[in-house]
Amino acid sequence: MEAIRNQQIDEALRTFRDLNRELADLRSIASTLNWDQETTMPPAGTPFRANQDATLATLYHQKLTSPQYGAILEQLEEEELDEWNRVSLREARRAYDKATRVPEALVGELAETCSMAYEAWVEARQKSDLAHFSPWLEKIIHLKRQQAHCLVEGDVPYDAMLDEYEPKMTVARLDPLLDTLRPLLTELVERIRLSPHQPDKGLLRGRFTQERQLELGTTVITAMGFDWKAGRLDVSPHPFCCGLNPGDVRITTRYSEEDFSVGFFGIVHEAGHALYEQGLQAERFGEPACETISLGVHESQSRLWEIFVGRSRPFWEYWFPRLIDAFPESFASVALEDFLHAVNQVEPSLIRVDADEVTYGLHVILRYEIEKALFEDSLEIRDVEGVWNQKMEEYLGLTPPDAARGVLQDVHWSHGLFGYFPTYLLGTLYASQLFQQAREDIPDLETQIARGEMLQLLEWLRQKVHRHGKRYSADELLRQVTGRAPDAACFLEYLNRKYSELYRLE
Amino acid sequence: MEAIRNQQIDEALRTFRDLNRELADLRSIASTLNWDQETTMPPAGTPFRANQDATLATLYHQKLTSPQYGAILEQLEEEELDEWNRVSLREARRAYDKATRVPEALVGELAETCSMAYEAWVEARQKSDLAHFSPWLEKIIHLKRQQAHCLVEGDVPYDAMLDEYEPKMTVARLDPLLDTLRPLLTELVERIRLSPHQPDKGLLRGRFTQERQLELGTTVITAMGFDWKAGRLDVSPHPFCCGLNPGDVRITTRYSEEDFSVGFFGIVHEAGHALYEQGLQAERFGEPACETISLGVHESQSRLWEIFVGRSRPFWEYWFPRLIDAFPESFASVALEDFLHAVNQVEPSLIRVDADEVTYGLHVILRYEIEKALFEDSLEIRDVEGVWNQKMEEYLGLTPPDAARGVLQDVHWSHGLFGYFPTYLLGTLYASQLFQQAREDIPDLETQIARGEMLQLLEWLRQKVHRHGKRYSADELLRQVTGRAPDAACFLEYLNRKYSELYRLE
């Protein structure tokens, strides 16, 4: 009897694995098509590709919500499984429930609405007139709230938005974090503004050929441990990282020939994402347990490399001479101190994607507060622009001259991506805690980095973060690795230490 | 009653169209993955991609052989349809029958065998030892004959192989064509060999940067009408054309920095394929009627541009000065006459893919005769190499020094591609007839080409060939456009005229 029963479980597990692998293959194919569209596809291919994407999405949805998959989940939920299978089952259940709970009609209406809303947003931004977009924004919020009601466990609909990108994150957990950060960031920005010791902002500008930038970027991410047998670096208008599978992780960047820092930090940032994807367990590819945890943890990997390594003094002690070799006309007569100050300059600005590490969080907090209010129904669409501008003034001391440089600057809302912005900031908070722990675990870490050696740090990340896949939530992972839940203290300490020195504060 | 009936037909046609579109989307996705693998994918992606391909192939097979699709075909076959739908129905039936008639076990065994046979072939070629490959060749022939028995209508199993790539082509139709060609080609090769007027074979060699080759190739295929909004040109080890859909047709080439002709004629050849794909009816994409006719007709388009245009005197009257501009060191002191003779040099050689237009057909005929004998069971595997070498001696006066440069040179058999080689030669025969007709229909065609104008020729091909999709078989198309069934006479006449002049024969 026991033998037969074990055989049945084995068979169910095999079916579960096969179905998961099929789903993973379809996701990987969809990512390949997406990468191709962003980097390669000629323009006349667009309508055909849209059809392919839709065909694939339908097939995927059919597979994920099939009665066969549902039955396997139920069957396995009765059994005692090992940890990996337990995690896979939990994650599969999560995906299955999300896919089955929202009525297909609503999914379809959302997809259609977002597709038209995106066109409207493009036009609204061009004309810098929110009125072109607000009816669509209103409709999307309406539909997203319906979606939230199908998904949410508690009574805060916006929690369903957060949970989509940062599983288990809630308003109740996020509010205290951001409430701590906001006044302290605003205060630090103000102190920095008032400092008489300002960097030379023109110092990073010059003439930088794309070829040399690519060469330098390639050298740096090779030293970080980027595996070229399992990855590529290409050009696209919006830099991104696309992990098709652990054997094929593709990053892109865009180059400015006037400012080397755009391409450089872009490459290091995306390579941070890529190292996470390359570090997932290849032999378990397809198992839901073996994917990245959340957007926040993903962003922690890119921010750790871009900021905590890439904008640090030890890093440039090694790489600044190499930057001079690459661009002697621009940097041969620049002192390392001045260069470091310039790549860490802080200045309130209107556009989130151009923001430095101190002001960036305030851009996120502003968006989070507006989104939350929209979902709570405590903010009307017609008041969004006013609230945006008022918060910009309050947090950053700036007033957008037009909607294009204000409320219309981000594409996210037109795609229905609410609850997404907070993950950018969470990533930085996680990164500050992880990097602090890495410094404790690897006592000579900064000496290594100052010698251009970064592979022990990568190995630490592999062991502490990458290998675990989805075993832990972000919260559990942070507790596990650093002994503390995600909080704002570590990041604030880091900022105060770093910027007090750079701007000679107090 | 009539109204209800019409409504039912409309609905069936709509379902038929949707299912066809879904199948076309999946094929297009598979092609994208294939293009990506040949040009872009990093090596560690290989095992993951193999899995994706298999997942997609299974989904495709399930869709194509679904009872729903079969039922729609049966329902529509009872109805009076317009011509396009009739053609689509005929082609859909053909695909459905092919997919359902061969048992899945046999399909699986073939796929597995070929995958291992390919590895064995790679090793056998490396070691130049057929013995490593012959057990696999034997097994593949055995399985392909089983496949043929499921598919063939008459009593010649090899007909099923031909029909796969060149629908309606049979041994009975092909034998007389090739029997006519073989002695006359052999005789022409011999006369050319004996001519005292030989070209300067070193004339095409020199130093050619890839950048300039790309520039020139781009200019030429732009003049041919290649649509860059609906296509790309990249590099890959084996040049190919990949038509994802009429809005996205990608060609590749490989460059030799010592011999410009490798890359140049490669680009023109693949662009010929691409113009066919770009010329299919975009608005009918997905309908089985709107695809390319056959590999032979596809090859006719590439050969027409590569040989009948690209190696002709009028073509070089315009392009030779431009070639000199691109590579003055190599060509500034060369006379057009000598250049023309050099790009049309004829010389028996061991390797098919390097063969000129006169000897190429003999390479194909040799392979066809061996394949046919293997399927008729009149040739044993152990005798294949001997027969190959004996025919090489007989047709081209050469003896392969080893199997790698003889019987093991082509990958096709290891993939189970029997009946494929003849389409290379058929393409050239079709091209000669089509080009002859184009000269009659456009009286000043050669004057146009000598002015660098090639768009009227493209328009002629669009109207006569591309627009029709699969409306006609190759045979019907040729009769329709040229008034004659495919034959050898036109090609032989062309060769005799051209090479008599170049080599001053008789």
Side-chain angles (χ1 to χ4, degrees), chain A residues 177-178 180-182 184-186 188-189 303-304 307-308 356-362 364-365 424-436 478 484-499:
Chain A
L177 270 182
L178 304 191
T180 310
L181 273 171
R182 194 185 43 240
L184 296 170
L185 286 179
T186 312
L188 179 59
V189 171
R303 296 293 265 179
L304 186 143
I307 293 180
F308 295 89
D356 54 76
E357 60 176 317
V358 183
T359 57
Y360 192 93
L362 294 165
V364 170
I365 292 169
Y424 292 129
L425 180 51
L426 286 169
T428 306
L429 300 185
Y430 301 162
S432 74
Q433 288 177 256
L434 289 171
F435 192 70
Q436 178 54 36
L478 267 284
R484 292 172 68 176
D487 66 29
C490 184
F491 180 52
L492 285 168
E493 257 173 59
Y494 153 81
L495 287 182
N496 274 314
R497 199 172 50 241
K498 175 169 170 179
Y499 289 93

Side-chain angles (χ1 to χ4, degrees), chain B residues 354-365:
Chain B
D354 298 334
D356 55 76
E357 60 176 317
V358 183
T359 57
Y360 192 94
L362 294 166
H363 289 273
V364 170
I365 291 169

Side-chain angles (χ1 to χ4, degrees), chain A residues 223-226 275-276 278-279 301 304-305 438 441-442 445 448 453-468 481:
Chain A
M224 284 163 56
F226 184 83
L275 292 174
Y276 189 11
Q278 289 184 337
Q301 300 305 292
L304 186 143
W305 288 101
D441 291 351
I442 310 170
L445 177 60
Q448 290 185 22
E453 293 164 13
M454 298 183 278
L455 296 182
Q456 199 180 340
L457 175 59
L458 174 60
E459 189 49 32
W460 187 90
L461 289 168
R462 292 267 192 259
Q463 296 308 327
K464 301 288 180 178
V465 182
H466 305 174
R467 295 279 180 233
H468 297 299
V481 177

Side-chain angles (χ1 to χ4, degrees), chain A residues 40-281:
Chain A
T40 305
M41 192 183 75
T46 308
F48 299 96
R49 181 56 56 83
N51 230 77
Q52 290 165 26
D53 291 343
T55 294
L56 209 53
T58 304
L59 274 173
Y60 185 79
H61 190 259
Q62 283 167 358
K63 293 267 165 199
L64 177 59
T65 60
S66 71
Q68 190 198 8
Y69 198 58
I72 283 282
L73 298 186
E74 277 181 30
Q75 186 187 345
L76 289 174
E77 276 159 355
E78 301 292 310
E79 306 297 341
E80 291 281 333
L81 304 174
D82 65 22
E83 192 191 2
W84 279 109
N85 280 317
R86 233 164 37 233
V87 175
S88 279
L89 190 58
R90 180 190 75 206
E91 295 301 323
R93 164 61 68 193
R94 184 180 138 88
Y96 177 82
D97 285 351
K98 274 184 192 279
T100 50
R101 279 185 193 165
V102 184
E104 281 192 43
L106 178 55
V107 174
E109 201 180 350
L110 253 170
E112 212 175 301
T113 306
C114 288
S115 154
M116 288 182 294
Y118 172 73
E119 303 296 331
W121 171 78
V122 169
E123 197 189 332
R125 195 168 74 149
Q126 237 157 33
K127 299 188 172 155
S128 201
D129 181 2
L130 183 60
H132 274 84
F133 179 54
S134 28
W136 293 106
L137 182 57
E138 184 137 29
K139 182 156 186 208
I140 291 177
I141 298 276
H142 176 72
L143 295 172
K144 291 297 279 189
R145 286 175 64 182
Q146 285 182 37
Q147 187 194 41
H149 280 292
C150 304
L151 293 174
V152 81
E153 310 274 342
D155 56 359
V156 183
Y158 189 68
D159 281 352
M161 301 293 108
L162 291 171
D163 185 76
E164 177 72 21
Y165 310 108
E166 198 65 16
K168 298 194 182 174
M169 184 49 71
T170 60
V171 167
R173 290 181 51 217
L174 198 50
D175 272 348
L177 270 182
L178 304 191
D179 286 343
T180 310
L181 273 171
R182 194 185 43 240
L184 296 170
L185 286 179
T186 312
E187 191 208 323
L188 179 59
V189 171
E190 183 61 8
R191 285 165 63 212
I192 287 173
R193 196 178 66 78
L194 295 175
S195 162
H197 189 66
Q198 295 291 331
D200 174 357
K201 286 166 190 165
L203 196 145
L204 302 179
R205 301 187 70 80
R207 294 291 310 156
F208 306 97
T209 65
Q210 183 168 324
E211 202 185 346
R212 287 243 179 107
Q213 291 191 62
L214 171 61
E215 223 171 274
L216 182 69
T218 300
T219 313
V220 171
I221 67 175
T222 304
M224 284 163 56
F226 184 83
D227 179 357
W228 295 95
K229 286 195 303 303
R232 297 177 53 91
L233 165 59
D234 296 276
V235 173
S236 73
H238 303 284
F240 65 101
C241 169
C242 177
L244 306 181
N245 52 62
D248 189 351
V249 182
R250 306 176 182 190
I251 60 176
T252 69
T253 196
R254 66 193 162 99
Y255 297 98
S256 156
E257 300 226 314
E258 285 81 48
D259 181 348
F260 97 99
S261 69
V262 175
F264 185 85
F265 292 110
I267 291 174
V268 174
H269 180 97
E270 300 306 333
H273 282 302
L275 292 174
Y276 189 11
E277 297 275 347
Q278 289 184 337
L280 296 173
Q281 294 188 43

Side-chain angles (χ1 to χ4, degrees), chain B residues 45-214:
Chain B
T46 309
F48 300 94
R49 181 57 55 83
N51 230 76
Q52 291 165 26
D53 291 342
T55 294
L56 209 54
T58 305
L59 274 173
Y60 185 79
H61 189 259
Q62 283 167 358
K63 293 268 166 199
L64 176 59
T65 59
S66 71
Q68 190 197 9
Y69 198 58
I72 283 281
L73 298 187
E74 277 181 29
Q75 187 186 346
L76 288 173
E77 277 161 353
E78 301 292 310
E79 306 299 339
E80 291 281 332
L81 304 174
D82 65 21
E83 192 191 2
W84 279 109
N85 280 317
R86 232 164 37 231
V87 175
S88 280
L89 190 58
R90 179 190 75 207
E91 295 301 324
R93 164 61 67 193
R94 184 180 137 87
Y96 178 82
D97 285 351
K98 274 184 193 280
T100 49
R101 279 184 192 165
V102 183
E104 280 192 43
L106 178 54
V107 173
E109 200 180 350
L110 251 170
E112 212 175 301
T113 306
C114 288
S115 154
M116 289 183 292
Y118 172 72
E119 305 296 331
W121 170 77
V122 169
E123 197 189 333
R125 195 169 73 149
Q126 238 157 31
K127 299 189 172 154
S128 201
D129 181 3
L130 182 60
H132 274 83
F133 180 55
S134 23
W136 293 105
L137 182 57
E138 183 137 30
K139 182 156 186 208
I140 291 178
I141 299 273
H142 175 70
L143 295 171
K144 292 297 280 188
R145 285 174 65 181
Q146 284 181 38
Q147 187 194 43
H149 280 293
C150 304
L151 294 173
V152 82
E153 311 273 341
D155 54 0
V156 182
Y158 189 69
D159 280 352
M161 300 294 109
L162 291 170
D163 185 75
E164 178 71 22
Y165 311 107
E166 198 65 16
K168 299 197 182 172
M169 184 51 70
T170 59
V171 167
R173 290 182 50 219
L174 197 50
D175 272 348
L177 270 182
L178 304 191
D179 286 343
T180 309
L181 273 170
R182 193 185 44 240
L184 295 170
L185 287 179
T186 311
E187 190 207 324
L188 179 59
V189 171
E190 183 61 10
R191 284 165 63 214
I192 287 174
R193 195 178 67 78
L194 295 175
S195 162
H197 189 65
Q198 294 291 331
D200 174 356
K201 286 166 191 167
L203 196 146
L204 303 179
R205 302 186 71 79
R207 294 291 311 157
F208 306 96
T209 66
Q210 183 168 323
E211 203 185 346
R212 289 244 178 107
Q213 290 192 62
L214 171 61

Side-chain angles (χ1 to χ4, degrees), chain B residues 200-400:
Chain B
D200 174 356
K201 286 166 191 167
L203 196 146
L204 303 179
R205 302 186 71 79
R207 294 291 311 157
F208 306 96
T209 66
Q210 183 168 323
E211 203 185 346
R212 289 244 178 107
Q213 290 192 62
L214 171 61
E215 221 171 275
L216 182 69
T218 300
T219 313
V220 171
I221 68 176
T222 304
M224 283 162 57
F226 184 84
D227 179 358
W228 295 95
K229 287 196 302 305
R232 297 177 51 91
L233 166 59
D234 297 275
V235 172
S236 72
H238 303 284
F240 66 100
C241 168
C242 177
L244 307 180
N245 51 64
D248 190 350
V249 182
R250 307 176 182 189
I251 60 176
T252 70
T253 195
R254 65 193 162 100
Y255 297 97
S256 156
E257 299 225 315
E258 285 81 47
D259 181 348
F260 97 99
S261 69
V262 174
F264 185 85
F265 292 110
I267 291 174
V268 174
H269 180 97
E270 299 306 333
H273 282 302
L275 292 174
Y276 188 11
E277 297 277 345
Q278 290 185 336
L280 296 173
Q281 294 189 44
E283 64 285 4
R284 288 181 178 276
F285 175 72
E287 297 181 27
C290 290
E291 290 166 23
T292 59
I293 296 172
S294 67
L295 288 192
V297 176
H298 226 307
E299 189 74 4
S300 80
Q301 300 304 293
S302 57
R303 296 292 265 179
L304 185 143
W305 288 101
E306 178 207 339
I307 292 180
F308 295 89
V309 177
R311 295 187 191 261
S312 75
R313 174 183 304 274
F315 180 85
W316 286 108
E317 279 173 11
Y318 182 81
W319 291 102
F320 190 53
R322 281 139 190 101
L323 180 71
I324 294 173
D325 285 348
F327 306 109
E329 327 76 38
S330 294
F331 298 118
S333 58
V334 172
L336 176 60
E337 289 309 310
D338 297 334
F339 176 78
L340 268 176
H341 200 173
V343 294
N344 286 293
Q345 58 189 277
V346 173
E347 189 171 27
S349 64
L350 294 164
I351 307 297
R352 175 183 58 84
V353 296
D354 298 334
D356 55 76
E357 60 176 317
V358 183
T359 57
Y360 192 94
L362 294 166
H363 289 273
V364 170
I365 291 169
L366 174 157
R367 285 155 178 78
Y368 167 70
E369 290 170 344
I370 290 177
E371 289 186 1
K372 203 174 51 154
L374 285 168
F375 273 77
E376 279 169 357
D377 222 0
S378 64
L379 173 63
E380 305 268 344
I381 297 290
R382 66 165 174 275
D383 297 327
V384 168
E385 188 169 8
V387 171
W388 180 290
N389 292 349
Q390 171 206 325
K391 283 180 187 287
M392 273 303 283
E393 177 61 46
E394 191 182 331
Y395 302 164
L396 287 163
L398 296 172
T399 306

